[in-house]
Coordinates of all heavy atoms in Angstrom, one line a residue:
K753 N 28.9 45.9 9.5 CA 27.6 46.4 9.5 C 27.4 47.8 9.8 O 28.0 48.3 10.8 CB 26.7 45.4 10.5 CG 25.3 45.8 10.5 CD 24.4 45.0 11.5 CE 23.3 45.8 11.9 NZ 22.5 45.0 12.8
N754 N 26.6 48.5 9.1 CA 26.4 49.9 9.4 C 27.5 50.8 9.5 O 27.6 51.7 10.4 CB 25.4 50.0 10.7 CG 24.1 49.4 10.5 OD1 23.5 49.3 9.5 ND2 23.6 49.0 11.7
K755 N 28.5 50.6 8.6 CA 29.7 51.4 8.6 C 29.3 52.8 8.0 O 28.7 52.9 7.0 CB 30.8 50.7 8.0 CG 31.5 49.6 8.7 CD 32.8 49.3 8.2 CE 33.3 48.2 9.0 NZ 34.7 47.9 8.7
Q756 N 30.0 53.8 8.6 CA 29.8 55.2 8.2 C 31.0 56.0 8.5 O 31.5 56.0 9.6 CB 28.6 55.8 8.9 CG 27.9 56.8 8.0 CD 26.6 57.2 8.8 OE1 26.7 57.4 10.0 NE2 25.5 57.5 8.1
N757 N 31.6 56.4 7.4 CA 32.9 57.1 7.5 C 34.0 56.3 8.3 O 34.8 56.9 9.1 CB 32.7 58.5 8.2 CG 31.9 59.4 7.5 OD1 31.7 59.3 6.3 ND2 31.0 60.2 8.2
G758 N 34.1 55.0 8.0 CA 35.1 54.2 8.6 C 34.8 53.7 10.1 O 35.5 53.0 10.6
G759 N 33.6 54.1 10.6 CA 33.3 53.7 12.0 C 32.0 53.0 11.9 O 31.4 52.9 11.0
L760 N 31.6 52.4 13.1 CA 30.4 51.8 13.2 C 29.3 52.7 13.8 O 29.5 53.5 14.7 CB 30.5 50.5 14.2 CG 31.3 49.3 13.7 CD1 31.5 48.3 14.7 CD2 30.6 48.7 12.4
V761 N 28.1 52.5 13.3 CA 26.9 53.3 13.7 C 26.4 52.5 15.0 O 26.2 51.3 15.0 CB 25.9 53.4 12.7 CG1 24.6 54.2 13.3 CG2 26.4 54.2 11.5
C762 N 26.1 53.3 16.1 CA 25.5 52.5 17.3 C 24.1 52.1 17.0 O 23.3 53.0 16.6 CB 25.6 53.5 18.5 SG 27.2 53.8 19.0
D763 N 23.8 50.9 17.3 CA 22.5 50.4 17.1 C 21.8 50.4 18.6 O 22.4 50.7 19.5 CB 22.6 49.0 16.7 CG 22.1 48.9 15.2 OD1 21.7 49.9 14.6 OD2 22.4 47.8 14.7
I764 N 20.6 50.3 18.6 CA 19.8 50.3 19.9 C 20.3 49.3 20.9 O 20.4 49.6 22.1 CB 18.2 50.1 19.6 CG1 17.7 51.1 18.7 CG2 17.5 50.0 20.9 CD1 17.7 52.6 19.3
P765 N 20.6 48.0 20.5 CA 21.1 47.1 21.5 C 22.4 47.6 22.3 O 22.5 47.4 23.5 CB 21.4 45.8 20.8 CG 20.4 45.9 19.6 CD 20.4 47.3 19.2
L766 N 23.3 48.3 21.5 CA 24.6 48.7 22.1 C 24.3 49.7 23.1 O 24.6 49.8 24.2 CB 25.5 49.2 21.0 CG 26.8 49.8 21.5 CD1 27.6 48.8 22.3 CD2 27.6 50.4 20.5
I767 N 23.4 50.7 22.7 CA 23.0 51.9 23.6 C 22.2 51.4 24.8 O 22.5 51.7 25.9 CB 22.1 52.9 22.8 CG1 22.9 53.5 21.8 CG2 21.6 53.9 23.8 CD1 22.1 54.4 20.7
Q768 N 21.3 50.3 24.5 CA 20.7 49.7 25.6 C 21.7 49.0 26.7 O 21.5 49.3 27.9 CB 19.7 48.7 25.1 CG 19.1 47.7 26.1 CD 18.4 46.6 25.4 OE1 17.6 46.8 24.5 NE2 18.6 45.4 25.7
D769 N 22.6 48.3 26.2 CA 23.6 47.6 27.1 C 24.3 48.6 27.9 O 24.7 48.5 29.0 CB 24.5 46.7 26.2 CG 23.7 45.5 25.8 OD1 22.6 45.2 26.2 OD2 24.3 44.8 24.8
V770 N 24.8 49.7 27.2 CA 25.6 50.7 27.8 C 24.8 51.4 29.0 O 25.2 51.6 30.1 CB 26.2 51.7 26.9 CG1 26.8 53.0 27.6 CG2 27.2 51.2 26.0
V771 N 23.5 51.7 28.7 CA 22.7 52.3 29.7 C 22.4 51.4 30.9 O 22.5 51.8 32.1 CB 21.3 52.8 29.1 CG1 20.3 53.3 30.2 CG2 21.6 53.9 28.1
V772 N 22.2 50.2 30.6 CA 22.0 49.2 31.7 C 23.2 49.0 32.4 O 23.2 48.8 33.7 CB 21.3 47.8 31.1 CG1 21.4 46.7 32.2 CG2 20.0 48.1 30.6
F773 N 24.4 48.9 31.8 CA 25.6 48.8 32.6 C 25.9 49.9 33.5 O 26.2 49.7 34.7 CB 26.8 48.6 31.6 CG 28.1 48.5 32.2 CD1 28.5 47.4 32.8 CD2 28.9 49.6 32.2 CE1 29.7 47.3 33.4 CE2 30.2 49.6 32.8 CZ 30.6 48.4 33.4
M774 N 25.6 51.1 33.0 CA 25.7 52.2 33.8 C 24.9 52.2 35.0 O 25.3 52.6 36.2 CB 25.7 53.6 33.0 CG 26.8 53.8 32.0 SD 26.9 55.3 30.9 CE 25.5 56.2 31.4
G775 N 23.6 52.0 34.8 CA 22.6 51.9 35.8 C 23.0 50.7 36.8 O 22.9 51.1 38.0
S776 N 23.6 49.7 36.4 CA 24.0 48.6 37.3 C 25.1 49.0 38.2 O 25.1 48.7 39.4 CB 24.3 47.3 36.5 OG 23.2 46.8 35.8
M777 N 26.0 49.7 37.5 CA 27.2 50.2 38.3 C 26.6 51.2 39.4 O 27.1 51.1 40.6 CB 28.2 50.9 37.4 CG 28.9 49.8 36.5 SD 29.6 48.4 37.3 CE 30.9 49.4 38.3
G778 N 25.7 52.1 39.1 CA 25.3 52.9 40.0 C 24.5 52.2 41.2 O 24.6 52.7 42.3
L779 N 23.8 51.2 40.8 CA 23.2 50.3 41.8 C 24.1 49.7 42.8 O 23.9 49.6 43.9 CB 22.2 49.3 41.2 CG 21.4 48.4 42.0 CD1 20.3 49.2 42.9 CD2 20.8 47.4 41.1
V780 N 25.3 49.2 42.2 CA 26.3 48.5 43.0 C 26.8 49.6 43.9 O 27.0 49.3 45.2 CB 27.4 47.9 42.1 CG1 28.5 47.5 42.9 CG2 26.7 46.7 41.4
F781 N 27.2 50.8 43.5 CA 27.8 51.8 44.3 C 26.8 52.2 45.4 O 27.2 52.4 46.6 CB 28.3 53.0 43.5 CG 29.6 52.8 42.8 CD1 29.5 52.9 41.4 CD2 30.6 52.4 43.4 CE1 30.7 52.7 40.7 CE2 31.9 52.2 42.7 CZ 31.9 52.3 41.4
Y782 N 25.5 52.3 45.0 CA 24.6 52.7 46.1 C 24.4 51.6 47.1 O 24.3 52.0 48.3 CB 23.1 52.9 45.3 CG 22.0 53.1 46.3 CD1 21.7 54.2 47.0 CD2 21.2 51.9 46.5 CE1 20.7 54.3 47.9 CE2 20.1 52.0 47.5 CZ 19.9 53.1 48.1 OH 18.8 53.3 48.9
T783 N 24.4 50.4 46.7 CA 24.3 49.2 47.7 C 25.5 49.2 48.5 O 25.3 49.0 49.8 CB 24.1 47.9 46.9 OG1 23.0 48.0 46.0 CG2 24.0 46.7 47.8
F784 N 26.7 49.4 48.1 CA 27.8 49.2 48.9 C 28.2 50.6 49.7 O 29.1 50.6 50.6 CB 29.1 49.0 48.0 CG 29.2 47.6 47.4 CD1 30.1 47.2 46.5 CD2 28.3 46.7 47.7 CE1 30.0 46.0 46.0 CE2 28.3 45.4 47.2 CZ 29.2 45.0 46.3
S785 N 27.4 51.6 49.5 CA 27.8 52.9 50.1 C 27.5 52.8 51.7 O 28.2 53.4 52.4 CB 26.8 54.0 49.6 OG 25.5 53.8 49.9
D786 N 26.6 51.9 52.0 CA 26.3 51.8 53.5 C 27.0 50.7 54.2 O 27.1 50.5 55.4 CB 24.9 51.7 53.9 CG 24.2 50.5 53.3 OD1 24.9 49.7 52.5 OD2 23.1 50.3 53.6
G787 N 27.8 49.9 53.4 CA 28.6 48.8 53.8 C 27.9 47.5 54.2 O 28.5 46.6 54.6
K788 N 26.6 47.5 53.9 CA 25.7 46.3 54.1 C 25.0 46.0 52.9 O 24.5 46.9 52.2 CB 24.8 46.5 55.3 CG 25.5 46.8 56.7 CD 24.4 46.9 57.8 CE 24.5 48.4 58.2 NZ 23.4 48.7 59.1
I789 N 24.8 44.7 52.8 CA 23.8 44.2 51.7 C 22.6 43.7 52.3 O 22.7 42.6 52.9 CB 24.5 43.2 50.7 CG1 25.8 43.8 50.1 CG2 23.4 42.7 49.6 CD1 26.5 42.9 49.2
S790 N 21.4 44.3 52.2 CA 20.2 43.9 52.8 C 19.4 42.9 51.9 O 19.7 42.9 50.8 CB 19.3 45.0 53.3 OG 18.9 45.7 52.1
R791 N 18.3 42.4 52.4 CA 17.4 41.5 51.6 C 16.8 42.5 50.6 O 16.6 42.0 49.4 CB 16.4 41.0 52.5 CG 15.3 40.2 51.9 CD 15.7 39.1 51.1 NE 15.9 37.9 51.9 CZ 16.4 36.8 51.4 NH1 16.7 36.6 50.1 NH2 16.6 35.8 52.2
G792 N 16.5 43.7 50.8 CA 15.9 44.7 49.9 C 16.9 44.9 48.7 O 16.5 45.0 47.6
D793 N 18.2 45.1 49.0 CA 19.3 45.2 48.0 C 19.2 44.0 47.0 O 19.4 44.1 45.8 CB 20.7 45.4 48.6 CG 20.7 46.8 49.3 OD1 19.9 47.7 49.0 OD2 21.5 46.8 50.3
I794 N 19.2 42.9 47.6 CA 19.3 41.6 46.9 C 18.0 41.5 46.0 O 18.2 41.2 44.8 CB 19.3 40.3 47.8 CG1 20.6 40.3 48.6 CG2 19.1 39.0 47.0 CD1 20.7 39.2 49.7
N795 N 16.9 41.9 46.5 CA 15.7 41.8 45.7 C 15.8 42.9 44.6 O 15.3 42.6 43.4 CB 14.4 42.1 46.5 CG 14.1 41.0 47.4 OD1 14.4 39.8 47.2 ND2 13.5 41.2 48.6
L796 N 16.4 44.0 44.8 CA 16.5 45.1 43.8 C 17.4 44.5 42.7 O 17.2 44.8 41.5 CB 17.2 46.3 44.4 CG 17.1 47.5 43.6 CD1 15.7 47.9 43.2 CD2 17.7 48.6 44.4
F797 N 18.5 43.7 43.1 CA 19.4 43.2 42.0 C 18.6 42.2 41.2 O 18.7 42.2 40.0 CB 20.6 42.5 42.6 CG 21.7 43.5 43.0 CD1 22.0 43.7 44.3 CD2 22.3 44.2 42.0 CE1 23.0 44.6 44.7 CE2 23.4 45.1 42.3 CZ 23.8 45.3 43.6
W798 N 17.8 41.3 41.9 CA 17.1 40.3 41.0 C 16.0 41.0 40.1 O 15.9 40.6 38.9 CB 16.2 39.4 42.0 CG 17.1 38.2 42.5 CD1 17.5 38.0 43.7 CD2 17.6 37.2 41.6 NE1 18.2 36.9 43.7 CE2 18.3 36.3 42.5 CE3 17.4 36.9 40.3 CZ2 18.9 35.1 42.1 CZ3 18.0 35.7 39.8 CH2 18.7 34.9 40.7
I799 N 15.4 42.0 40.6 CA 14.4 42.9 39.8 C 15.1 43.4 38.6 O 14.6 43.4 37.4 CB 13.6 43.9 40.6 CG1 12.7 43.2 41.6 CG2 12.8 44.8 39.7 CD1 12.0 44.0 42.6
T800 N 16.2 44.0 38.8 CA 17.0 44.6 37.8 C 17.5 43.6 36.7 O 17.3 43.8 35.5 CB 18.3 45.3 38.4 OG1 18.0 46.3 39.3 CG2 19.1 46.0 37.3
Y801 N 17.8 42.4 37.2 CA 18.3 41.4 36.3 C 17.1 40.9 35.4 O 17.2 40.7 34.2 CB 19.0 40.2 37.0 CG 19.4 39.0 36.1 CD1 20.3 39.2 35.2 CD2 18.6 37.9 36.2 CE1 20.7 38.2 34.4 CE2 18.8 36.9 35.4 CZ 20.0 36.9 34.4 OH 20.3 35.8 33.7
I802 N 16.1 40.5 36.0 CA 14.9 40.1 35.4 C 14.3 41.1 34.4 O 13.9 40.8 33.3 CB 13.7 39.6 36.4 CG1 14.3 38.3 37.1 CG2 12.5 39.4 35.7 CD1 13.4 38.0 38.3
S803 N 14.4 42.4 34.8 CA 14.0 43.4 33.9 C 14.8 43.5 32.5 O 14.3 43.6 31.5 CB 14.0 44.8 34.6 OG 13.0 44.8 35.7
Y804 N 16.1 43.4 32.9 CA 17.1 43.5 31.6 C 16.8 42.3 30.8 O 16.7 42.4 29.4 CB 18.4 43.5 32.2 CG 19.5 43.5 31.1 CD1 19.6 44.5 30.2 CD2 20.2 42.3 30.9 CE1 20.5 44.5 29.2 CE2 21.1 42.4 29.8 CZ 21.3 43.4 28.9 OH 22.2 43.3 27.9
V805 N 16.7 41.1 31.3 CA 16.5 39.9 30.5 C 15.1 40.0 29.7 O 15.1 39.6 28.5 CB 16.5 38.6 31.4 CG1 16.0 37.4 30.5 CG2 17.9 38.4 31.8
T806 N 14.1 40.5 30.4 CA 12.8 40.7 29.7 C 13.0 41.8 28.6 O 12.5 41.6 27.4 CB 11.8 41.2 30.7 OG1 11.7 40.2 31.7 CG2 10.5 41.4 30.1
L807 N 13.7 42.9 28.8 CA 13.9 43.9 27.9 C 14.7 43.3 26.6 O 14.3 43.5 25.4 CB 14.7 45.1 28.5 CG 15.0 46.2 27.5 CD1 13.6 46.9 27.3 CD2 16.0 47.2 28.3
V808 N 15.7 42.5 26.8 CA 16.4 41.9 25.7 C 15.5 41.0 24.9 O 15.6 41.0 23.7 CB 17.6 41.1 26.2 CG1 18.3 40.3 25.3 CG2 18.7 42.2 26.8
L809 N 14.7 40.1 25.6 CA 13.9 39.1 24.9 C 12.8 39.9 24.0 O 12.6 39.5 23.0 CB 13.2 38.2 26.0 CG 14.2 37.2 26.6 CD1 13.5 36.4 27.6 CD2 14.9 36.3 25.5
L810 N 12.3 41.0 24.7 CA 11.2 41.8 23.9 C 11.8 42.4 22.7 O 11.3 42.5 21.6 CB 10.6 42.7 24.9 CG 9.6 42.2 25.8 CD1 9.1 43.3 26.8 CD2 8.4 41.5 25.2
G811 N 13.2 42.9 22.9 CA 13.7 43.6 21.8 C 14.1 42.5 20.6 O 14.0 42.8 19.5
D812 N 14.5 41.3 21.0 CA 14.7 40.3 20.1 C 13.4 39.9 19.3 O 13.5 39.8 18.1 CB 15.4 39.1 20.7 CG 15.9 38.1 19.7 OD1 16.5 38.4 18.8 OD2 15.6 36.8 20.1
L813 N 12.4 39.8 20.0 CA 11.1 39.4 19.5 C 10.6 40.6 18.6 O 10.2 40.3 17.3 CB 10.0 39.3 20.5 CG 8.7 38.8 20.1 CD1 8.8 37.4 19.5 CD2 7.7 38.7 21.3
Y814 N 10.8 41.8 18.9 CA 10.4 43.0 18.1 C 11.3 42.9 16.8 O 10.8 43.1 15.7 CB 10.7 44.2 18.7 CG 10.4 45.5 18.0 CD1 9.1 45.9 17.9 CD2 11.5 46.2 17.4 CE1 8.8 47.1 17.0 CE2 11.2 47.3 16.7 CZ 9.9 47.7 16.5 OH 9.6 48.9 15.7
Q815 N 12.6 42.7 16.9 CA 13.5 42.5 15.7 C 13.1 41.4 14.7 O 13.0 41.7 13.5 CB 15.0 42.2 16.2 CG 16.0 42.1 15.1 CD 16.5 43.4 14.7 OE1 16.3 44.4 15.3 NE2 17.2 43.4 13.6
K816 N 12.6 40.3 15.3 CA 12.3 39.1 14.5 C 10.9 39.3 13.8 O 10.6 39.0 12.7 CB 12.3 37.9 15.2 CG 13.7 37.4 15.4 CD 13.7 36.1 16.2 CE 15.2 35.8 16.4 NZ 15.3 34.6 17.3
L817 N 10.0 40.1 14.5 CA 8.5 40.2 14.0 C 8.4 41.4 13.1 O 7.6 41.4 12.1 CB 7.7 40.5 15.2 CG 7.4 39.1 16.0 CD1 6.4 39.4 17.2 CD2 6.9 38.0 15.1
F818 N 9.1 42.5 13.3 CA 8.9 43.7 12.6 C 10.0 44.2 11.7 O 9.8 44.8 10.7 CB 8.5 44.9 13.5 CG 7.2 44.6 14.4 CD1 7.2 44.2 15.7 CD2 6.1 44.6 13.6 CE1 6.1 43.9 16.4 CE2 4.8 44.3 14.4 CZ 4.9 44.0 15.6
I819 N 11.3 44.1 12.3 CA 12.4 44.7 11.4 C 12.9 43.8 10.4 O 13.1 44.2 9.2 CB 13.6 45.0 12.5 CG1 13.1 46.0 13.5 CG2 14.8 45.6 11.7 CD1 12.7 47.3 13.1
E820 N 13.1 42.5 10.7 CA 13.7 41.5 9.6 C 12.7 41.5 8.5 O 13.2 41.3 7.5 CB 13.9 40.2 10.4 CG 15.3 40.3 11.2 CD 15.6 38.9 11.8 OE1 14.8 37.9 11.6 OE2 16.5 38.9 12.8
P821 N 11.4 41.2 8.7 CA 10.5 41.1 7.5 C 10.6 42.4 6.6 O 10.6 42.2 5.4 CB 9.1 40.9 8.1 CG 9.4 40.4 9.4 CD 10.6 41.0 9.9
K822 N 10.8 43.6 7.1 CA 10.9 44.8 6.4 C 12.2 44.8 5.5 O 12.3 45.1 4.4 CB 10.9 46.1 7.2 CG 9.6 46.4 7.8 CD 9.6 47.6 8.6 CE 8.3 47.9 9.3 NZ 8.3 49.1 10.2
K823 N 13.2 44.3 6.2 CA 14.6 44.2 5.5 C 14.5 43.1 4.4 O 15.0 43.4 3.3 CB 15.7 43.8 6.5 CG 16.1 45.0 7.4 CD 17.3 44.6 8.3 CE 17.7 45.7 9.2 NZ 18.8 45.4 10.0
R824 N 13.9 42.0 4.7 CA 13.7 41.0 3.7 C 12.9 41.5 2.4 O 13.2 41.2 1.3 CB 13.1 39.7 4.1 CG 14.0 38.8 4.8 CD 13.4 37.5 5.2 NE 13.1 37.7 6.6 CZ 12.2 37.2 7.3 NH1 11.3 36.5 6.7 NH2 12.1 37.4 8.6
N825 N 11.9 42.3 2.7 CA 11.0 42.8 1.5 C 11.7 43.9 0.9 O 11.5 44.2 -0.4 CB 9.7 43.4 2.1 CG 8.8 42.1 2.6 OD1 9.0 41.0 2.2 ND2 7.9 42.4 3.5
K826 N 12.6 44.6 1.5 CA 13.3 45.8 0.9 C 14.6 45.5 0.2 O 15.0 46.2 -0.7 CB 13.6 46.8 2.0 CG 14.1 48.2 1.5 CD 14.3 49.1 2.7 CE 14.7 50.5 2.2 NZ 15.0 51.4 3.2
A827 N 15.2 44.3 0.6 CA 16.6 44.0 0.0 C 16.6 44.0 -1.5 O 17.4 44.5 -2.1 CB 17.0 42.6 0.6
P828 N 15.7 43.3 -2.3 CA 15.8 43.2 -3.7 C 15.7 44.5 -4.3 O 16.5 44.9 -5.3 CB 14.5 42.4 -4.0 CG 14.3 41.5 -2.9 CD 14.6 42.5 -1.7
T829 N 14.9 45.5 -3.8 CA 14.9 46.8 -4.4 C 16.1 47.6 -4.2 O 16.6 48.3 -5.1 CB 13.6 47.7 -3.9 OG1 13.8 47.8 -2.5 CG2 12.3 47.0 -4.2
D830 N 16.8 47.4 -3.0 CA 18.0 48.1 -2.8 C 19.1 47.6 -3.7 O 19.9 48.4 -4.3 CB 18.5 47.8 -1.3 CG 17.7 48.6 -0.3 OD1 16.9 49.5 -0.8 OD2 17.8 48.3 0.9
E831 N 19.0 46.3 -4.0 CA 20.0 45.8 -4.9 C 19.9 46.2 -6.4 O 20.9 46.5 -7.0 CB 20.0 44.2 -4.9 CG 21.1 43.5 -5.7 CD 21.0 42.0 -5.4 OE1 21.5 41.5 -4.4 OE2 20.4 41.4 -6.3
V832 N 18.6 46.3 -6.8 CA 18.3 46.8 -8.1 C 18.7 48.3 -8.2 O 19.3 48.7 -9.2 CB 16.8 46.7 -8.4 CG1 16.4 47.4 -9.7 CG2 16.5 45.1 -8.5
E833 N 18.4 49.1 -7.2 CA 18.7 50.4 -7.2 C 20.2 50.7 -7.2 O 20.8 51.5 -7.9 CB 18.2 51.2 -6.0 CG 16.6 51.4 -6.0 CD 16.1 51.9 -4.6 OE1 17.0 52.3 -3.9 OE2 14.9 51.9 -4.6
A834 N 20.9 49.8 -6.5 CA 22.4 49.8 -6.5 C 23.1 49.7 -7.9 O 23.9 50.3 -8.3 CB 23.0 48.9 -5.5
H835 N 22.4 48.7 -8.7 CA 22.9 48.4 -10.0 C 22.5 49.5 -11.0 O 23.2 49.9 -11.8 CB 22.4 47.0 -10.5 CG 23.0 45.9 -9.8 ND1 24.4 45.7 -9.9 CD2 22.5 44.9 -9.0 CE1 24.6 44.6 -9.1 NE2 23.6 44.1 -8.6
T836 N 21.3 50.1 -10.8 CA 20.9 51.1 -11.7 C 21.6 52.5 -11.4 O 21.8 53.3 -12.3 CB 19.4 51.4 -11.7 OG1 19.0 51.7 -10.3 CG2 18.6 50.2 -12.2
L837 N 22.0 52.6 -10.2 CA 22.7 54.0 -9.9 C 24.2 53.8 -9.8 O 24.9 54.6 -9.1 CB 22.2 54.4 -8.5 CG 20.6 54.8 -8.5 CD1 20.3 55.0 -7.0 CD2 20.3 55.9 -9.4
S838 N 24.8 52.9 -10.6 CA 26.2 52.6 -10.4 C 27.0 53.6 -11.3 O 28.2 53.2 -11.7 CB 26.5 51.2 -10.8 OG 26.2 50.9 -12.1
A839 N 26.5 54.7 -11.8 CA 27.2 55.6 -12.7 C 28.2 56.6 -11.9 O 28.8 57.4 -12.6 CB 26.3 56.3 -13.6
D840 N 28.0 56.6 -10.6 CA 28.8 57.5 -9.8 C 30.3 57.1 -10.0 O 30.7 55.9 -10.3 CB 28.6 57.6 -8.4 CG 28.6 56.4 -7.6 OD1 28.7 55.3 -8.2 OD2 28.6 56.4 -6.3
T841 N 31.3 58.0 -9.6 CA 32.7 57.8 -9.8 C 33.2 56.6 -9.0 O 34.0 55.8 -9.5 CB 33.5 59.0 -9.5 OG1 33.3 59.4 -8.2 CG2 33.1 60.1 -10.4
T842 N 32.7 56.4 -7.8 CA 33.2 55.3 -6.9 C 32.8 53.9 -7.6 O 33.7 53.1 -7.7 CB 32.5 55.4 -5.5 OG1 32.8 56.7 -5.1 CG2 33.1 54.3 -4.7
S843 N 31.6 53.8 -8.1 CA 31.2 52.5 -8.8 C 32.1 52.3 -10.1 O 32.4 51.1 -10.4 CB 29.8 52.6 -9.1 OG 29.1 52.6 -7.8
V844 N 32.2 53.4 -10.7 CA 33.0 53.2 -12.0 C 34.5 52.9 -11.7 O 34.9 51.9 -12.4 CB 33.0 54.6 -12.8 CG1 33.9 54.5 -14.0 CG2 31.6 54.9 -13.3
E845 N 35.1 53.4 -10.7 CA 36.4 53.0 -10.3 C 36.4 51.6 -9.8 O 37.3 50.8 -10.2 CB 36.8 54.0 -9.1 CG 37.2 55.4 -9.6 CD 37.5 56.3 -8.4 OE1 37.4 55.9 -7.2 OE2 37.7 57.6 -8.7
M846 N 35.4 51.1 -9.1 CA 35.4 49.7 -8.7 C 35.3 48.9 -9.9 O 35.8 47.8 -10.0 CB 34.3 49.5 -7.7 CG 34.7 50.3 -6.4 SD 33.5 49.8 -5.0 CE 32.0 49.5 -5.6
D847 N 34.4 49.2 -10.9 CA 34.2 48.4 -12.1 C 35.5 48.3 -12.8 O 35.9 47.3 -13.4 CB 33.1 49.1 -12.9 CG 31.7 48.9 -12.3 OD1 31.6 48.1 -11.4 OD2 30.8 49.6 -12.8
V848 N 36.3 49.3 -13.0 CA 37.6 49.4 -13.7 C 38.5 48.4 -13.0 O 39.2 47.7 -13.6 CB 38.1 50.8 -13.8 CG1 39.5 50.8 -14.4 CG2 37.2 51.6 -14.8
A849 N 38.6 48.5 -11.6 CA 39.4 47.6 -10.8 C 39.1 46.2 -11.0 O 40.0 45.4 -11.0 CB 39.5 48.1 -9.4
L850 N 37.8 45.9 -11.1 CA 37.4 44.5 -11.3 C 37.8 44.0 -12.7 O 38.2 42.9 -12.7 CB 35.9 44.4 -11.0 CG 35.4 44.4 -9.6 CD1 33.8 44.5 -9.7 CD2 36.0 43.3 -8.9
I851 N 37.7 44.9 -13.7 CA 38.1 44.4 -15.0 C 39.5 44.3 -15.1 O 40.0 43.3 -15.8 CB 37.6 45.5 -16.0 CG1 36.0 45.5 -16.1 CG2 38.2 45.3 -17.4 CD1 35.4 46.6 -16.8
K852 N 40.2 45.1 -14.4 CA 41.9 44.9 -14.5 C 42.2 43.6 -13.8 O 43.1 43.0 -14.2 CB 42.4 46.1 -13.7 CG 42.4 47.3 -14.7 CD 43.2 48.4 -13.8 CE 43.1 49.7 -14.6 NZ 43.9 50.8 -13.9
D853 N 41.5 43.2 -12.7 CA 41.8 41.9 -12.1 C 41.5 40.7 -12.9 O 42.1 39.7 -12.8 CB 41.0 41.8 -10.8 CG 41.5 42.8 -9.7 OD1 42.5 43.3 -9.9 OD2 40.7 43.0 -8.9
L854 N 40.6 40.8 -14.0 CA 40.3 39.7 -14.8 C 41.5 39.4 -15.7 O 42.1 38.5 -16.1 CB 39.1 40.0 -15.6 CG 37.8 40.1 -14.9 CD1 36.7 40.5 -15.8 CD2 37.5 38.8 -14.2

């Protein structure tokens, strides 16, 4: 999905996970810096976890309500455009390869 120049394009969920992971690691180092885990540290971990789960659920809900319907409505036109614009050399080379396989 989303390949570009042989690599993957970073989507929002990946960036979100990396940022939350780095923040969590910072929180762990901060908590362990004094050598004690207090009740406040535990509450901070719970708040961080609940915030992350809420963020993921809201992102999933946003994806299902706004992004997927746009993709469903846009998909047929993309397919039609792909067939009408198949005169470029890459498409011609692929068509020739498909014909040779027959």
Side-chain angles (χ1 to χ4, degrees):
K753 172 184 164 182
N754 294 335
K755 285 194 174 185
Q756 212 173 38
N757 297 330
L760 288 176
V761 176
C762 290
D763 258 348
I764 299 295
L766 176 63
I767 295 169
Q768 167 189 309
D769 288 346
V770 169
V771 168
V772 169
F773 175 74
M774 290 178 2
S776 297
M777 293 304 297
L779 182 61
V780 168
F781 285 122
Y782 169 76
T783 301
F784 288 170
S785 66
D786 62 356
K788 296 182 249 175
I789 299 176
S790 67
R791 175 60 84 182
D793 293 334
I794 293 170
N795 290 336
L796 191 58
F797 279 113
W798 275 112
I799 290 169
T800 303
Y801 176 71
I802 291 169
S803 299
Y804 177 68
V805 169
T806 303
L807 184 66
V808 169
L809 291 176
L810 288 175
D812 189 43
L813 185 63
Y814 178 80
Q815 180 83 14
K816 288 181 180 174
L817 291 177
F818 298 106
I819 304 299
E820 288 178 7
K822 287 181 185 177
K823 285 183 180 179
R824 273 185 262 147
N825 293 337
K826 190 176 179 185
T829 58
D830 287 348
E831 188 173 278
V832 171
E833 288 173 6
H835 288 298
T836 57
L837 299 174
S838 67
D840 64 342
T841 57
T842 308
S843 295
V844 171
E845 290 171 2
M846 290 188 334
D847 292 341
V848 170
L850 287 172
I851 292 170
K852 284 183 181 178
D853 287 341
L854 293 176

